[in-house]
Amino acid sequence: MSKNDVISAENNLTKKDFRSIFWRSFTLLGSMNYERMEALGFLYSIMPALKKVYKDDPEGMKAACHRHMVAFNMTVAPAPFVMGIAVAMEELAKKDKNFDVNSINAVKVSLMGPLSGIGDTFFWGIFRILACALAVGFAQQGNPLAPFVLLIVFNIPNFVTRYFCLKWGYLNGTQALVNMEKSGKMQLFTHCAGIVGVAAVGCLIALWAPISCPLTFTLSGTEIVLQDYLDQILPCLLPLITTLSVFGYLRKGGKVITAIIAIVIIGFILGVLGLIA
């Protein structure tokens, strides 16, 4: 292996490994599900690097695979940036036995929200609309190049973003993490990342679990809407209670399929009774 084949002198990740991660990143949504979201696609993408890092450590490889099967979800284009940082952190974890491996997922979770916001704005709000508008113009003129214009205009920034995000996250992420470790700021960063992650989860609960109580009754001639009083106690109280209940059940060893069935049955009964909407 020549020096030109190695991405960085501080590690053994080769350009071949780098290209493999890049192309595998396009499968991120290939196994999308509501339990682990894009986790399996993320693990599949960085698998070549993990095999290189833990080639002589089967237990370390097993632990790393478990780490990256934790739920992960973000806009696909900037996702390779997180992959690069994750690989860099795995290398540090392998070299330093005192490295806090919990910080790996903490960093991943903390980046999901900000990068998804940026990715959604540019790729779904700008590039997609621009590509569709140009393609429609060609299509109205009967030009057979219309679908190719759509694909090219949208995918050029997509490919470029994936490639350079992966490279920048891996190379600069390594140095940044080393500096943070030496300065003692890693623990503080992990703590802050955890706070950001919890806040992001709270936002997802409010957006994806819109449970409300439609009950109304009249008291002394005044119509009382129960949901209004619940919102005064805590906005999105019912979604929070539901999420914490399911989380508590799963944390005690409950099965996901059982939780799903219970949600469907309880939701159906309460919906028919008019207690939730």
Side-chain angles (χ1 to χ4, degrees), residues 3 28 115 117 121 137 221 225 263:
K3 292 183 178 180
L28 191 61
L115 290 183
T121 299
V225 180
I263 291 172

Side-chain angles (χ1 to χ4, degrees), residues 2-266:
S2 65
K3 292 183 178 180
N4 292 331
D5 291 331
V6 180
I7 298 296
S8 171
E10 298 179 356
N11 49 65
N12 295 317
L13 190 63
T14 64
K15 291 182 179 180
K16 181 180 179 181
D17 300 325
F18 182 86
R19 288 193 297 269
S20 180
I21 297 173
F22 170 75
W23 289 114
R24 284 176 176 235
S25 71
F26 288 90
T27 67
L28 191 61
L29 292 175
S31 59
M32 177 70 176
N33 60 81
Y34 285 103
E35 180 183 359
R36 301 182 187 275
M37 312 302 285
E38 301 167 354
L40 186 58
F42 189 97
L43 175 59
Y44 174 76
S45 299
I46 66 172
M47 186 62 76
L50 293 181
K51 289 181 178 179
K52 183 66 68 69
V53 173
Y54 296 102
K55 59 183 178 181
D56 56 347
D57 186 2
E59 291 302 318
M61 179 66 179
K62 181 179 179 180
C65 289
H66 279 290
R67 276 195 295 275
H68 294 291
M69 279 303 293
V70 174
F72 177 83
N73 185 43
M74 67 175 295
T75 307
V76 292
F81 176 75
V82 183
M83 295 177 186
I85 291 181
V87 171
M89 297 184 77
E90 290 290 352
E91 289 181 338
L92 289 177
K94 182 64 169 62
K95 294 176 183 178
D96 183 5
K97 299 302 180 183
N98 296 321
F99 187 86
D100 183 9
V101 294
N102 293 323
S103 63
I104 298 176
N105 276 328
V107 170
K108 287 171 59 178
V109 171
S110 69
L111 293 175
M112 286 195 307
L115 290 183
S116 291
I118 296 173
D120 287 345
T121 299
F122 280 92
F123 285 91
W124 302 130
I126 298 177
F127 296 140
R128 181 182 61 169
I129 295 175
L130 177 61
C132 290
L134 291 174
V136 167
F138 278 84
Q140 287 178 333
Q141 298 174 7
N143 195 318
L145 293 177
F148 299 99
V149 171
L150 171 62
L151 293 174
I152 291 173
V153 173
F154 180 78
N155 281 297
I156 285 180
N158 184 22
F159 274 67
V160 171
T161 300
R162 285 174 182 265
Y163 181 84
F164 285 102
C165 276
L166 176 59
K167 191 171 185 178
W168 189 60
Y170 178 67
L171 295 179
N172 296 330
T174 301
Q175 187 59 44
L177 292 168
V178 169
N179 294 336
M180 290 177 65
E181 190 71 21
K182 290 181 178 179
S183 64
K185 294 181 179 179
M186 178 59 75
Q187 185 176 1
L188 175 62
F189 180 78
T190 302
H191 178 70
C192 293
I195 295 175
V196 174
V198 172
V201 171
C203 293
L204 293 177
I205 292 173
L207 291 173
W208 291 5
I211 303 173
S212 61
C213 180
L215 283 180
T216 60
F217 53 91
T218 303
L219 183 63
S220 300
T222 303
E223 185 180 36
I224 304 298
V225 180
L226 185 57
Q227 184 61 46
D228 291 342
Y229 287 90
L230 293 176
D231 289 337
Q232 291 178 19
I233 297 173
L234 180 67
C236 299
L237 178 61
L238 294 181
L240 179 62
I241 293 175
T242 303
T243 303
L244 292 178
S245 299
V246 174
F247 175 73
Y249 169 73
L250 296 177
R251 191 174 185 181
K252 292 181 179 179
K255 296 182 179 180
V256 174
I257 186 65
T258 304
I260 294 175
I261 294 174
I263 291 172
V264 172
I265 294 175
I266 295 174

